[in-house]
Amino acid sequence: MATSIHQKELERIRQHGAQTYPHECCGILLGKAEDWNKTILDILPMNNARKDSPQNRYMILPEDLIASDREARKRGLDVIGFYHSHPDHPAQPSEFDREHAWPWFAYIIVAVGKGVPRDLTAWLLSADRAQFVPEELQVTENGN
Amino acid sequence: MGVKVIIPTPLRQYADKNASVVVEGKTVDEVMQNLTALHGELKRHLYGEDGKLRRFVNIYRNEEDIRYLEKENTPVKDNDVLNIVPSIAGGNIHFGNEAVLPGIPGRK
């Protein structure tokens, strides 16, 4: 069980985190999945819908997710996960992240310290919803 | 005949890998109860311990959010489609005294 991502997409996630600092960025991971193995082939940067507390919260509206899902399917891809940033906090999922998480999806978190993207980690919700477990992120150098 | 419930990708593993399931019911609540009776493992991910739908679970009846209809009492009829759509949310509030960047990344 692993998730692979191209270096270019990884860099786009980091840059999105830097752009929105000190607010959280968020986005959708598109790609292909075979059971639990996922290949991220594109990312869709999204607007953070939590205008009330964007420095420590993010939300992707269900209507945005529906539209993105349609777009993905047209391209032969699926929504396979999400990313967000933790401004001035470690790239570790919070209790709030866990409560709101869905199984199976890959969750990528990038820590952004003082505007500079730092650690980037990937997580999966355990089947009993009790915890996030680290997901192996395989970074590829070549084209899709 | 019945109501077609579209199962989101992450939950298909708990519905015998089906992308949709047809179940009976006259309201959204009845359909959802029948769905989770049929596929028991779905319940944990759709309902909280208080027995209510989780906050980040959205249900659309024929593309209309039931929050703007009659919520779980929204009536349904044969051939209606219910779509279960996740809200995706989170954030960096940590409980306890974790370290913050810069420095050594903190853990609970």
Side-chain angles (χ1 to χ4, degrees):
Chain A
M1 161 184 332
T3 296
S4 71
I5 184 169
H6 189 263
Q7 181 67 41
K8 181 174 58 126
E9 309 306 335
L10 207 62
E11 196 51 38
R12 287 178 67 200
I13 293 174
R14 290 184 196 279
Q15 289 311 314
H16 193 199
Q19 279 164 17
T20 62
Y21 180 88
H23 295 167
E24 293 200 7
C25 73
C26 56
I28 297 176
L29 307 174
L30 300 184
K32 292 182 187 257
E34 196 168 319
D35 288 329
W36 291 86
N37 294 311
K38 306 182 194 83
T39 304
I40 298 165
L41 296 171
D42 197 5
I43 66 161
L44 292 180
M46 304 300 288
N47 287 320
N48 184 353
R50 282 297 297 265
K51 302 299 180 202
D52 58 323
S53 188
Q55 70 281 5
N56 63 2
R57 289 281 188 266
Y58 80 94
M59 185 167 71
I60 298 171
L61 295 174
E63 47 266 41
D64 287 342
L65 185 57
I66 292 171
S68 301
D69 189 52
R70 283 206 186 110
E71 173 67 24
R73 285 175 195 286
K74 274 189 208 162
R75 297 166 55 191
L77 303 176
D78 285 308
V79 173
I80 58 174
F82 305 92
Y83 71 87
H84 72 285
S85 63
H86 279 182
D88 295 322
H89 274 77
Q92 305 285 340
S94 65
E95 179 64 10
F96 193 79
D97 286 331
R98 186 193 61 78
E99 282 173 13
H100 291 76
W102 288 74
W104 187 81
F105 282 135
Y107 286 86
I108 287 180
I109 302 175
V110 59
V112 183
K114 294 191 183 302
V116 179
R118 300 190 182 203
D119 291 347
L120 186 145
T121 54
W123 305 84
L124 272 179
L125 183 69
S126 63
D128 60 2
R129 303 191 60 84
Q131 60 181 331
F132 263 118
V133 291
E135 165 86 322
E136 185 189 348
L137 197 59
Q138 296 171 342
V139 182
T140 58
E141 298 288 338
N142 298 319
N144 297 331
Chain B
M1 298 290 272
V3 174
K4 182 177 177 181
V5 185
I6 310 285
I7 311 292
T9 312
L11 298 188
R12 287 177 194 166
Q13 59 185 306
Y14 306 116
D16 294 336
K17 297 195 174 181
N18 288 309
S20 65
V21 178
V22 175
V23 279
E24 301 286 335
K26 291 189 171 62
T27 63
V28 169
D29 184 53
E30 279 184 26
V31 170
M32 294 302 289
Q33 294 299 333
N34 288 338
L35 174 71
T36 52
L38 200 60
H39 299 287
E41 282 188 278
L42 285 174
K43 196 160 190 170
R44 175 192 301 158
H45 299 286
L46 297 172
Y47 290 89
E49 287 172 10
D50 57 2
K52 292 182 179 167
L53 269 183
R54 290 182 181 275
R55 273 191 306 170
F56 48 84
V57 174
N58 307 285
I59 299 178
Y60 288 69
R61 184 197 69 183
N62 304 334
E63 307 207 350
E64 268 190 287
D65 190 336
I66 64 161
R67 241 177 287 247
Y68 304 111
L69 300 171
E70 295 170 55
K71 300 182 179 167
E72 288 167 78
N73 295 321
T74 301
V76 291
K77 56 185 189 307
D78 282 348
N79 299 319
D80 275 351
V81 176
L82 292 187
N83 198 356
I84 301 171
V85 181
S87 275
I88 302 301
N92 73 7
I93 285 287
H94 292 249
F95 299 103
N97 52 355
E98 292 175 86
V100 294
L101 290 176
I104 307 293
R107 288 301 305 265
K108 288 178 190 173

